[in-house]
Amino acid sequence: MPMKDERGDLDVSKVVKPVQATLSSLKMLDVGKWPIFSLCSEAELQLVRQACVFGSASNELLYTTVNDEIFVLGTNCCGCLGLGDVQSTIEPRRLDSLSGKKIACLSYGSGPHIVLATTEGEVFTWGHNAYSQLGNGTTNAGLVPYHISTNLSNKQVIEVACGSYHSLVLTSDGEVFAWGYNNSGQVGSGSTANQPIPRRVTGCLQNKVVVNIACGQMCSMAVVNTGEVFVWGYNGNGQLGLGSSGNQPTPCRVAALQGIRVQRVACGYAHTLVLTDEGQVYAWGANSYGQLGTGNKSNQSYPTPVVVEKDRIIEIAACHSAHTSAAKTQGGHVYMWGQCRGQSVTLPHLTHFSSTDDVFACFATPAVTWRLLSVEPDDHLTVAESLKREFDNPNTADLKFLVDGKYIYVHKVLLKIRCEHFRSSLEDNEGDTVDMSEFSYPVYRAFLEYLYTDSISLPPEEAVGLLDLATFYRENRLKKLCQQTIKQGICEENAIALLSAAVKYEAQDLEEFCFRFCINHLTVVTQTSGFAEMDHDLLKNFISKASRVGAFKN
């Protein structure tokens, strides 16, 4: 039987977190940091588009190629390579049964067993199955990929997660399904009977829209679209964050995070990390290697803030096979804490890496990937990539804007296609230069670049000006992107100014975010010059709203 506590003789779980929004790029990585890649030739490595290193000694590898072929190599424990046998191989073998399928996300447990979702939303499982973790209704080892259709046939799966011997999937409509080992309630059914086929996790999640899932060794986590975190399963190390050590057989909200909006959750061997929309990290659970980053080795059953200088965190990383944590800041700095090649690092340590993946390749034991690595081919430009390259190119442009004495080169036809304002304003304009004085050069350049790239590259402090422009031109998508960028630069000193801007430009999402930030940092915010100089009507509304949420109670 699998061990429940943090230390034991059993090999720990392995998991690749499917963070589709932040897939790592192999262009940025030295894949040689994972020794198993040395079994591939240089020609084979050139074709790699996605990769996952897993196994109790990082001795299994699955990767996809530019031709959507899937190759595997390694020890093949319990048939986890999906080749139909249990023979090890030091040469890449093609996984024919899945060739042509595009992988969206993939995760694995400690058997190991594999759960893979395609871009079409289909789910395939194979490998170890003693506890029905493959979801095929049996406990027979799965030597080849099995397409799960029971209860998922009309669903599109967008994220997968594995615990030691249980599996979770998230569907496009925000539902969570679970199956497999359930000795501690980790499938959320309310009992401790193993679950042989996918079953929807209900209870407190019944009417919630889930946006992110994760698994600890024998526990499960879900983040819903309101920013709340729900947890269930094993809790012997306090990894559920409920203030106790009792197991939880059905989803339960982490009440200690009240008023905090969580965006992502990541699970280590027996600890949990969450990332909030303010760029703050909280941790709880086992801490015998300092993996909570609190400066000591005491377990925590309540969420505890992790202090990483003053920079905003944009990515958290934890791997089910290790007691290691990592985070990346908005400024591109990568920190790690916890177990580091057998040593304990109890506070976030600044590394020389540019990627959290390198932390697990170089510091964690075993050296496995904590998420699916992915890279786009270099030799082919999509239409979108081609357009990006032509922005501000004087060699092909037929129009230029003069802003603050500087030119920005663009193409009339693209501006007309992408923006209603230009569709009318450029209709009768036969000139090749337009003077622009209403907005600053950085703001207007960011706006024009957005029309080419569908994204904005502007520091948060400049984004308020772009929000003004987006409101003026009625560019609703740009307005949403501006609000996301502005959020990343909020601090106690500018919170009132940003709240005022949000009200002025009717940016409701930003307004709600700034208000919550002010309430969460009320003592400091009320001592700033911005608060002292706040517009009378805004101050009146702020105090009224703050009173309604109980901000002034003792």
Side-chain angles (χ1 to χ4, degrees):
M1 294 287 287
M3 295 293 289
K4 291 184 180 180
D5 59 12
E6 186 193 2
R7 297 175 182 274
D9 296 327
L10 183 78
D11 281 347
V12 297
S13 311
K14 295 88 191 169
V15 65
V16 173
K17 291 297 297 155
V19 186
Q20 296 170 26
T22 54
L23 282 175
S24 173
S25 169
L26 289 172
K27 294 175 191 171
M28 305 287 290
L29 296 169
D30 174 11
V31 295
K33 290 174 181 172
W34 285 275
I36 196 167
F37 277 104
S38 64
L39 296 174
C40 300
S41 69
E42 191 62 37
E44 287 164 339
L45 290 176
Q46 291 295 321
L47 297 176
V48 172
R49 292 295 170 257
Q50 294 169 300
C52 161
V53 179
F54 60 103
S56 60
S58 54
N59 50 10
E60 269 100 15
L61 170 64
L62 178 149
Y63 67 85
T64 67
T65 71
V66 63
N67 299 318
D68 293 322
E69 293 182 316
I70 300 177
F71 287 86
V72 291
L73 62 90
T75 306
N76 202 15
C77 180
C78 298
C80 66
L81 297 185
L83 295 168
D85 56 45
V86 292
Q87 301 300 313
S88 62
T89 174
I90 62 171
E91 293 184 351
R93 291 175 59 185
R94 190 170 59 191
L95 190 54
D96 290 325
S97 61
L98 289 182
S99 283
K101 300 283 186 182
K102 297 179 189 292
I103 299 178
C105 49
L106 134 74
S107 182
Y108 60 93
S110 62
H113 76 284
I114 309 293
V115 178
L116 176 153
T118 69
T119 53
E120 303 270 309
E122 299 174 307
V123 179
F124 293 87
T125 63
W126 66 93
H128 189 269
N129 194 34
Y131 303 96
S132 299
Q133 61 263 48
L134 299 187
N136 60 13
T138 77
T139 54
N140 303 322
L143 300 183
V144 295
Y146 172 82
H147 178 210
I148 295 185
S149 58
T150 305
N151 295 334
L152 294 177
S153 58
N154 297 318
K155 302 289 182 180
Q156 181 177 19
V157 170
I158 58 172
E159 190 173 1
V160 299
C162 293
S164 283
Y165 302 101
H166 75 288
S167 309
L168 293 187
V169 298
L170 172 63
T171 67
S172 58
D173 51 6
E175 296 177 346
V176 178
F177 289 79
W179 62 90
Y181 195 43
N182 194 36
N183 68 325
S184 303
Q186 56 264 51
V187 302
S189 62
S191 76
T192 54
N194 292 352
Q195 178 64 36
I197 58 174
R199 172 194 171 279
R200 188 182 169 198
V201 181
T202 53
C204 290
L205 290 182
Q206 178 70 49
N207 298 312
K208 303 286 186 179
V209 177
V210 176
V211 295
N212 178 222
I213 56 174
C215 289
Q217 183 193 22
M218 288 187 290
C219 64
S220 304
M221 315 269 170
V223 180
V224 301
N225 61 353
T226 58
E228 298 172 304
V229 180
F230 289 82
V231 296
W232 60 99
Y234 182 64
N235 193 33
N237 299 106
Q239 55 261 63
L240 297 188
L242 300 174
S244 66
S245 59
N247 296 348
Q248 181 66 36
T250 56
C252 180
R253 184 174 65 88
V254 180
L257 293 172
Q258 178 73 34
I260 295 169
R261 186 164 294 189
V262 170
Q263 291 185 325
R264 298 209 70 82
V265 59
C267 293
Y269 180 87
H271 73 287
T272 305
L273 305 175
V274 295
L275 176 64
T276 75
D277 63 351
E278 292 183 8
Q280 172 70 58
V281 176
Y282 290 84
W284 61 87
N287 196 31
S288 53
Y289 295 95
Q291 60 265 48
L292 300 187
T294 55
N296 58 50
K297 296 184 181 180
S298 300
N299 290 4
Q300 297 288 336
S301 59
Y302 283 109
T304 305
V306 180
V307 180
V308 180
E309 293 188 345
K310 291 185 178 180
D311 206 353
R312 176 187 176 90
I313 302 297
I314 60 171
E315 179 180 283
I316 52 175
C319 182
H320 204 165
S321 64
H323 310 285
T324 303
S325 303
K328 186 173 184 178
T329 71
Q330 190 170 314
H333 296 121
V334 173
Y335 290 81
M336 70 79 54
W337 58 99
Q339 190 177 36
C340 174
R341 290 186 169 270
Q343 303 299 309
S344 297
V345 179
T346 61
L347 285 171
H349 171 75
L350 178 61
T351 71
H352 61 277
F353 300 133
S354 59
S355 165
T356 55
D357 304 282
D358 288 348
V359 169
F360 290 87
C362 298
F363 292 159
T365 304
V368 294
T369 51
W370 71 273
R371 60 178 171 185
L372 186 63
L373 306 176
S374 183
V375 63
E376 287 298 321
D378 285 325
D379 54 355
H380 172 71
L381 287 178
T382 65
V383 173
E385 289 165 341
S386 298
L387 290 177
K388 288 179 184 179
R389 291 196 174 192
E390 292 308 309
F391 172 67
D392 205 16
N393 182 355
N395 296 323
T396 61
D398 57 0
L399 181 68
K400 56 181 183 269
F401 284 86
L402 180 60
V403 190
D404 296 341
K406 295 181 236 181
Y407 287 113
I408 308 169
Y409 296 89
V410 292
H411 306 77
K412 287 183 183 178
V413 65
L414 186 138
L415 266 54
K416 288 182 179 180
I417 290 172
R418 291 279 288 145
C419 179
E420 182 67 37
H421 166 75
F422 289 125
R423 210 165 298 158
S424 56
S425 67
L426 295 178
E427 186 62 38
D428 299 320
N429 187 333
E430 296 181 359
D432 63 357
T433 304
V434 176
D435 285 324
M436 170 55 60
S437 58
E438 288 88 348
F439 300 97
S440 69
Y441 175 81
V443 165
Y444 212 73
R445 178 184 171 83
F447 167 54
L448 294 174
E449 187 174 10
Y450 157 77
L451 298 178
Y452 282 76
T453 65
D454 208 33
S455 62
I456 58 176
S457 55
L458 203 62
E461 60 270 19
E462 296 272 12
V464 174
L466 190 57
L467 177 63
D468 179 13
L469 182 152
T471 305
F472 182 73
Y473 284 162
R474 298 181 181 178
E475 287 286 333
N476 291 331
R477 172 168 165 72
L478 178 59
K479 193 170 180 178
K480 288 181 181 178
L481 292 176
C482 289
Q483 293 178 74
Q484 292 172 11
T485 300
I486 292 169
K487 288 179 184 179
Q488 296 171 7
I490 196 168
C491 64
E492 288 91 345
E493 285 298 320
N494 67 14
I496 294 298
L498 296 185
L499 176 63
S500 177
V503 172
K504 178 180 179 181
Y505 300 121
E506 298 180 349
Q508 295 178 347
D509 184 49
L510 179 62
E511 180 183 347
E512 179 59 29
F513 174 83
C514 292
F515 175 76
R516 281 191 291 105
F517 183 91
C518 290
I519 296 302
N520 291 338
H521 304 81
L522 191 60
T523 302
V524 179
V525 168
T526 54
Q527 295 172 354
T528 64
S529 58
F531 187 84
E533 300 164 4
M534 198 189 312
D535 173 80
H536 176 73
D537 289 338
L538 182 62
L539 176 60
K540 182 178 175 182
N541 290 335
F542 178 83
I543 293 174
S544 174
K545 190 174 179 181
S547 298
R548 289 198 298 272
V549 299
F552 302 120
K553 293 180 181 178
N554 291 330

